[in-house]
Amino acid sequence: MSALPLRIYNTASKRVEPFSVLTPGVARGYVCGITPYDSVHVGHGRVYVFFDILRRYLEHLGLEVKLVINFTDVDDKIINRAREEFGADAVSRWREVPERYIREYFDVMERLYVKPAYAYPRVTEYVGDMLEWIRALVDRGYAYVAPDGSVYFEVGKVPRYGEFSGQRIEELVAGARVEPEPGKRNPLDFALWKSWSPGEPWWNSPWCPGRPGWHLECVVMSTKHLGVPFDFHGGGADLIFPHHENEIAIARAMHGVDYFARYWIHVGYLTVGGEKMSKSLGNIITLKEVLSKYDGEALRLAYAMSHYRKPMEFSYDLLDRAVELLGTMYTAYDELSQAVADAGERDVAPLAEEASSYRRKFEEALADDMSTNEAARALYDMARFIISKVLYSVDKISRETALGILRDYAEMADVLGLLNKREVPRELAEAVRAIVEARSRLRSERQYALADMLRDRARALGVEMHDMGPRTFYTIDRKLKYGS
């Protein structure tokens, strides 16, 4: 196993552990995807952005990352939505529902700068594999067939059921935290195969027409793509029980492994007005709605400003703050890029060492249980350092040092998935440079009123100029908030 400079909280062990990978140079992970029956919301976004940052950090450490994210493209919720929309035609048109919301998922993930996954398996593509697992589990005595042809997994046959999620089986039964279904031997037993009901999609099986159960689906698809065991499995904290507990139980019965993924990583709840988002409270905020008002970078930074395991309170004020911070970050990048040309022959001011301290803080934060909040602070502090010190003293450092600071700063931003709009169209950059040069000539000719007027006109067009002694640097507004 290959050890990495990363310690991360493992839900299975209930502690922060050194992270290592089974195959040198490769990290294999699976994140539970959406059930595409409705628009993706900001709670979903937090999960997928976090795992995108984890993936970027692992790549930054030199790993190839095989990250698999599934789609549960047949489910009660999808069937119910199809009935609402299509009525009697639902049985022939139900696939239109998941297709629509899968397309929306890809659209909003692209706008959130989330990198494409290694694979996006869909439940409907792997029913045959799921049938093989069910047959094996029945043959081994871990599953049984109910009178209606449904197949249930018998949790009492698996050692330490409930240990992963910290649940006591007796309390679960007493609390009836399960759906009542006829034919179960135990209230906690869960469906591996659901018998067909009129008006529903179905597949043939040795037991009855029907479809797979949710908990079986992810364990089959993840191990199909990543093997047994693989490195990490994740999702939102709401999946710890029953979904991930049940996945683990199935894999124990099927493969005899304690945990089929070595690290179990869960992202905390997102709240609105102090309440967890829910349709009953009417406080669902979709990503589509947020991204109609803000660039995805603002939302990425807002997510990163909270530690992934802690609850996060979503608000538009938080996004406004993120826009403000990103503006400073872009200013630092734009103006240091311009200042490199003014760098000296050798280092006179001791700025290189101070610059490296921000990168060190950034790396230490991510190595410490992916503390993106501290990493984002280090990136912002480096931006302030660039603006307040480096630009004023750029002639006192070498060009190599200036470029090194710029490279470190850009690499830090890339790990968080920020400053994606660094490059501006060449025509725009040339036009802005011409305006800056014209204003510099006016200033050199002491025509300050005209120079100020030109600066104000440029600001109205989204170009901000900053005078630092004889030099003028500029930054271009990236329009991170729309309609502002």
Side-chain angles (χ1 to χ4, degrees), residues 64-308:
E64 175 190 0
V65 181
K66 293 184 176 180
L67 183 63
V68 175
I69 300 174
N70 77 293
F71 294 116
T72 303
D73 63 340
V74 60
D75 182 86
D76 290 341
K77 293 176 180 178
I78 291 172
I79 295 166
N80 292 337
R81 174 56 63 91
R83 286 171 177 157
E84 291 172 7
E85 294 188 13
F86 307 126
D89 293 332
V91 72
S92 62
R93 298 185 61 185
W94 66 272
R95 288 181 184 271
E96 295 178 33
V97 173
E99 289 301 323
R100 178 194 317 143
Y101 292 113
I102 288 171
R103 285 195 300 270
E104 182 183 304
Y105 169 89
F106 282 122
D107 176 63
V108 296
M109 289 301 117
E110 182 178 4
R111 293 165 68 188
L112 277 171
Y113 306 96
V114 171
K115 290 186 172 185
Y118 170 70
Y120 293 100
R122 303 185 183 199
V123 168
T124 54
E125 299 169 340
Y126 292 87
V127 174
D129 295 279
M130 294 168 196
L131 288 170
E132 290 179 11
W133 277 57
I134 297 170
R135 186 181 294 109
L137 291 167
V138 170
D139 291 345
R140 297 175 189 181
Y142 288 101
Y144 57 90
V145 184
D148 69 348
S150 296
V151 182
Y152 291 99
F153 186 89
E154 191 166 1
V155 300
K157 294 287 186 71
V158 177
R160 305 191 314 284
Y161 182 80
E163 178 183 79
F164 172 75
S165 56
Q167 306 284 342
R168 292 173 60 88
I169 292 181
E170 301 81 5
E171 293 174 359
L172 289 172
V173 173
R177 284 191 60 191
V178 289
E179 297 179 9
E181 297 176 44
K184 283 187 177 185
R185 295 176 183 172
N186 182 313
L188 295 179
D189 294 348
F190 55 88
L192 298 174
W193 187 259
K194 295 183 176 184
S195 63
W196 173 78
S197 296
E200 292 185 353
W202 57 274
W203 286 259
N204 280 317
S205 83
W207 313 284
C208 69
R211 53 191 168 90
W214 178 36
H215 308 304
L216 173 72
E217 296 163 354
C218 281
V219 68
V220 171
M221 291 186 290
S222 62
T223 57
K224 178 81 173 181
H225 282 274
L226 302 173
V228 180
F230 56 89
D231 296 307
F232 65 92
H233 193 317
D238 56 319
L239 298 180
I240 295 174
F241 184 86
H243 186 48
H244 288 166
E245 184 78 63
N246 290 345
E247 280 192 72
I248 290 165
I250 294 169
R252 280 180 181 165
M254 188 71 176
H255 290 288
V257 293
D258 205 18
Y259 291 104
F260 69 100
R262 298 177 62 243
Y263 301 90
W264 291 77
I265 304 167
H266 293 94
V267 179
Y269 295 108
L270 187 144
T271 59
V272 179
E275 299 278 354
K276 186 185 174 188
M277 283 197 309
S278 71
K279 290 198 171 183
S280 60
L281 291 174
N283 62 354
I284 296 290
I285 301 174
T286 67
L287 287 172
K288 189 163 59 173
E289 175 186 347
V290 173
L291 296 174
S292 71
K293 302 172 183 176
Y294 294 84
D295 187 86
E297 285 194 323
L299 186 51
R300 280 191 77 102
L301 179 55
Y303 288 141
M305 288 159 65
S306 294
H307 191 280
Y308 77 95

